[in-house]
């Protein structure tokens, strides 16, 4: 069943940082796939902009190489690659000087949408935005896309917001959190708000607790310079896990419209309790048979940066007053496995024998791998052996219905949303600031502390297990489908 595509209006995407890793790995392949799907018009142009002195043809070669490496062979034909590359151009740009700007102005086509994509460090945001404005490029249908990290703390995020506001209006700014482009994350909203089954139960009366896990198998993969200054809290929790928490916990917006949705997310962030230090566990992976330690990977011999964090979060509002949210994320864990688990309470009274095998319901929203949704329900064990109960999953794995390769990458969806002018799945400035405001004191409290060590390929430090055990609960095993 091919996904429906609604073509977008003609556009030029001007990609700053076009020779960088993210551009090659995600942005260029995603744009190509939308082009092949017929969603991006044939005339749409990709203009790469970076410091290197490349010709148009050299950039096209880079584009071809990126497609070869990051788009499965079955999803690209030579003719399509040729056609896509023919619409690519390049400008060597000086973010801090005049070099390249006149040329850029000549290359962008008048009368089409202009999406300026900053896939560069935030230190360049202000310079680039100011020069875009000075060259008259922020007028009309101009949009700005910015990548994370959006600041390092509240003060720096505010500063970035102020700097961007000098050149762009808020309704032109698209702050990317690629987790919001993941199919399952959007499905979470469909599940909640387009079915009558779940929403009546989606509160502290029926939900015992919520678990949000984003476990990665990879380590810091050559990004030690960046990662060691961030750690799991800034790299993952302040943005990705926070967004997952917000979408899980928020009230239904009146309509699926950008500000209505973002208002509801913001209310959740503002209702988060401050986190007690004893409700946070930090970890750092140690050397193991399969690889070097975090400190070696990050080339930071004395580092106290966390590559794992687990925490218990409370939300002080009517819906969630007594339902804890447990979050955990880490690198070099047992599996690449991300999910949101809505763990329901026990049935109020059991008419069956004790120890009959009944388990409370759990709704598992799997982000990766095998994106899908799974509802654990208790049923009778088949056979004549009396009323024995067992848990059976009602499983909806999206790839079964759509085919693994057909699953769009988060970036495909998000880039098309930028062109369409739809900010629903992008973070608003006040939302980012509120998230930092909540995160900052947690990080400040770690001053001088060393993270717990954990074994590679594990579920994180023992202390993270204890955090949940202390409440008489346990984490779902990573990926064992239990
Ligand atoms: C990025 C983080 O934002 O998300 C990385 O900087 C992390 O450290 C990545 O690995 C995870 O994204 P995904 O889509 O691969 O799960």
């Amino acid at each position: 069943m091919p996904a429906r595509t609604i073509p977008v209006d003609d556009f030029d995407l001007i990609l700053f940082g076009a020779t960088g890793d993210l551009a090659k790995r995600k942005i260029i392949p995603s744009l190509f796939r939308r082009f092949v799907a017929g969603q991006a018009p044939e005339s749409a142009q990709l203009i790469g902009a970076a410091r290197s002195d490349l010709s148009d043809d050299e950039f096209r070669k880079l584009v071809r190489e990126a497609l070869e490496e990051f788009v499965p062979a079955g999803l690209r034909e030579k003719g399509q690659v040729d056609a896509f590359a023919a619409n690519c151009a390049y400008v060597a740009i000086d973010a801090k000087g005049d070099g390249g700007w006149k040329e850029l102005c000549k290359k962008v086509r008048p009368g089409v949408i202009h999406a300026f994509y900053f896939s560069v460090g935030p230190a360049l945001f202000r310079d680039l935005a100011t020069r875009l404005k000075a060259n008259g490029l922020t007028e009309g249908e101009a949009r700005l896309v910015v990548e994370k990290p959006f600041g390092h703390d509240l003060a720096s995020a505010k500063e970035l917001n102020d700097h961007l506001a000098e050149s762009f209006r808020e309704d032109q700014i698209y702050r990317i959190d690629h987790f919001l482009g993941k199919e399952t994350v959007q499905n979470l909203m469909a599940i909640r708000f387009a079915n009558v089954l779940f929403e009546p139960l989606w509160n502290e009366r029926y939900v015992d607790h919520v678990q949000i896990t984003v476990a990665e198998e990879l380590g810091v993969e050559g990004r030690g310079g960046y990662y060691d200054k961030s750690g799991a809290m800034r790299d993952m929790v302040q943005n990705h896990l926070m967004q997952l928490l917000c979408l899980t916990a928020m009230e239904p917006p009146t309509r699926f419209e950008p500000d209505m949705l973002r208002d509801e997310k913001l209310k959740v962030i503002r209702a988060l309790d401050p986190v007690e230090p004893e409700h946070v566990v930090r970890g750092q992976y140690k050397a193991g048979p399969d690889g070097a330690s975090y400190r070696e990977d990050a080339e930071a011999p004395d580092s106290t940066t966390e590559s794992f964090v687990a925490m218990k979060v409370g939300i002080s509002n009517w819906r969630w007053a007594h339902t804890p949210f447990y979050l955990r994320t880490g690198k070099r864990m047992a599996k690449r496995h991300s999910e949101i688990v809505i763990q329901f309470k026990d049935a109020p009274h059991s008419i069956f024998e004790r120890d009959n095998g009944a388990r409370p319901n759990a709704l598992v929203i799997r982000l990766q791998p095998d994106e899908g949704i799974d509802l654990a329900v208790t049923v009778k064990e088949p056979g004549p052996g009396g009323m024995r109960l067992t848990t059976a999953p009602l499983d909806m794995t999206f790839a079964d219905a759509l085919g693994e390769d057909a699953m769009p990458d988060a970036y495909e969806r998000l880039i098309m949303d930028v062109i369409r002018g739809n900010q629903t799945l992008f973070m608003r400035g006040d939302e980012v600031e509120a998230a930092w405001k909540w995160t900052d004191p947690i990080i400040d409290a770690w001053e001088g502390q060393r993270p717990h060590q954990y074994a590679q390929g594990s579920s994180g430090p023992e202390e993270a297990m204890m955090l949940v055990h202390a409440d008489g609960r346990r984490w779902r095993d990573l990926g064992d489908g239990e």
Side-chain angles (χ1 to χ4, degrees):
M1 184 180 59
R4 228 166 8 122
T5 52
I6 302 167
V8 297
D9 291 341
D10 201 4
F11 64 91
D12 286 345
L13 189 139
I14 301 94
L15 179 55
F16 294 90
T19 55
D21 192 56
L22 185 73
K24 289 191 253 187
R25 192 177 285 276
K26 291 287 183 189
I27 303 168
I28 296 173
S30 295
L31 194 58
F32 171 76
R33 286 180 66 160
R34 289 297 93 203
F35 180 82
V36 170
Q39 192 169 23
E42 282 175 15
S43 46
Q45 194 183 198
L46 168 65
I47 304 175
R51 229 172 1 191
S52 321
D53 202 7
L54 300 182
S55 65
D56 284 344
D57 278 343
E58 283 165 328
F59 180 61
R60 290 181 187 129
K61 184 162 170 277
L62 178 149
V63 167
R64 285 171 183 282
E65 286 164 1
L67 298 181
E68 250 164 58
E69 196 174 348
F70 297 111
V71 178
L75 295 180
R76 59 179 151 84
E77 289 165 13
K78 187 171 175 308
Q80 293 165 334
V81 174
D82 290 345
F84 182 77
N87 285 3
C88 293
Y90 183 81
V91 183
I93 208 99
D94 181 1
K96 294 185 180 288
D98 294 333
W101 293 94
K102 290 273 158 324
E103 208 191 333
L104 178 63
C105 291
K106 273 190 231 142
K107 287 201 166 162
V108 295
R109 294 171 299 156
V112 301
I113 294 161
H114 296 154
F116 300 99
Y117 198 130
F118 288 0
S119 179
V120 296
L124 292 179
F125 285 5
R126 188 184 203 179
D127 289 317
L128 289 173
T130 308
R131 284 185 171 73
L132 286 172
K133 182 165 187 186
N135 284 282
L137 290 169
T138 56
E139 312 291 322
E141 292 267 16
R143 283 150 210 172
L144 173 66
V145 187
V146 292
E147 273 292 339
K148 67 174 275 253
F150 200 86
H152 191 72
D153 53 16
L154 177 59
S156 55
K158 272 191 170 156
E159 196 176 67
L160 277 181
N161 275 335
D162 290 347
H163 288 168
L164 294 183
E166 292 164 0
S167 305
F168 287 89
R169 298 184 312 270
E170 181 63 30
D171 66 8
Q172 294 179 295
I173 303 175
Y174 293 73
R175 295 174 193 79
I176 282 217
D177 184 312
H178 77 280
F179 269 54
L180 290 180
K182 288 183 192 278
E183 199 66 21
T184 328
V185 175
Q186 295 167 58
N187 233 311
L188 168 61
M189 290 184 275
I191 283 276
R192 283 192 63 189
F193 303 132
N195 295 286
V196 292
L197 279 184
F198 299 109
E199 198 49 27
L201 308 179
W202 209 266
N203 56 54
E204 58 108 29
R205 273 187 72 187
Y206 297 102
V207 178
D208 178 71
H209 71 278
V210 175
Q211 297 187 8
I212 301 179
T213 296
V214 180
E216 297 186 88
E217 227 175 312
L218 296 176
V220 288
E221 309 304 306
R223 296 163 71 222
Y226 150 75
Y227 192 89
D228 199 57
K229 289 195 211 78
S230 298
M233 190 71 185
R234 290 189 172 97
D235 185 50
M236 298 295 288
V237 178
Q238 184 273 345
N239 37 67
H240 305 323
L241 277 83
M242 174 72 84
Q243 290 296 322
L244 300 182
L245 182 148
C246 285
L247 295 180
T248 308
M250 72 184 183
E251 296 301 315
T254 307
R255 282 192 298 278
F256 191 60
E257 284 182 5
D259 279 334
M260 292 199 176
L261 190 96
R262 298 187 297 179
D263 286 346
E264 295 307 334
K265 287 197 289 166
L266 183 59
K267 283 185 211 161
V268 174
I269 304 175
R270 290 188 174 149
L272 295 178
D273 294 337
V275 175
E276 305 292 334
E278 64 271 25
H279 289 160
V280 191
V281 174
R282 290 203 309 149
Q284 192 185 70
Y285 63 83
K286 50 188 182 187
D290 297 332
S293 68
Y294 169 80
R295 290 177 175 187
E296 287 160 329
D297 278 351
E299 295 178 19
D302 303 317
S303 174
T304 57
T305 300
E306 76 286 354
S307 59
F308 171 98
V309 65
M311 58 206 304
K312 176 179 170 180
V313 179
I315 304 178
S316 279
N317 63 19
W318 273 57
R319 189 185 282 264
W320 297 117
H322 301 106
T323 302
F325 281 60
Y326 299 99
L327 317 183
R328 65 175 165 168
T329 181
K331 298 215 178 270
R332 286 249 192 275
M333 293 177 65
K335 278 197 165 155
R336 178 169 188 253
H337 190 95
S338 305
E339 63 182 21
I340 302 168
V341 182
I342 314 297
Q343 182 65 59
F344 291 96
K345 293 186 175 173
D346 282 315
H349 164 72
S350 176
I351 63 167
F352 305 108
E353 289 169 13
R354 279 163 164 260
D355 304 328
N356 53 30
R359 296 258 185 91
N361 297 123
L363 179 71
V364 181
I365 297 147
R366 283 192 313 274
L367 273 65
Q368 56 205 16
D370 309 326
E371 289 200 59
I373 293 173
D374 201 334
L375 177 65
V377 286
T378 297
V379 293
K380 180 186 169 301
E381 213 171 67
M387 199 52 162
R388 287 290 312 156
L389 303 179
T390 186
T391 304
L394 289 179
D395 183 351
M396 201 182 99
T397 302
F398 302 144
D400 291 348
L402 295 171
E404 187 67 54
D405 284 342
M407 285 297 285
D409 186 86
Y411 277 89
E412 291 180 49
R413 161 79 202 233
L414 295 176
I415 294 171
M416 289 300 103
D417 277 357
V418 172
I419 307 301
R420 273 193 286 259
N422 186 339
Q423 291 183 305
T424 310
L425 299 176
F426 296 83
M427 289 177 296
R428 208 167 52 192
D430 53 359
E431 216 186 312
V432 179
E433 290 183 14
W436 280 120
K437 193 171 170 193
W438 178 78
T439 314
D440 277 357
I442 303 173
I443 296 176
D444 291 346
W446 294 338
E447 184 73 40
Q449 278 181 23
R450 304 181 83 77
H452 302 284
Q453 299 283 298
Y454 64 96
Q456 298 189 23
S458 72
S459 300
E462 191 58 27
E463 288 76 4
M465 306 295 146
M466 306 298 290
L467 176 74
V468 177
H469 289 179
D471 295 339
R473 302 182 173 111
R474 61 191 198 97
W475 294 106
R476 261 170 54 94
D477 281 351
L478 283 183
D480 68 354
E482 204 180 304

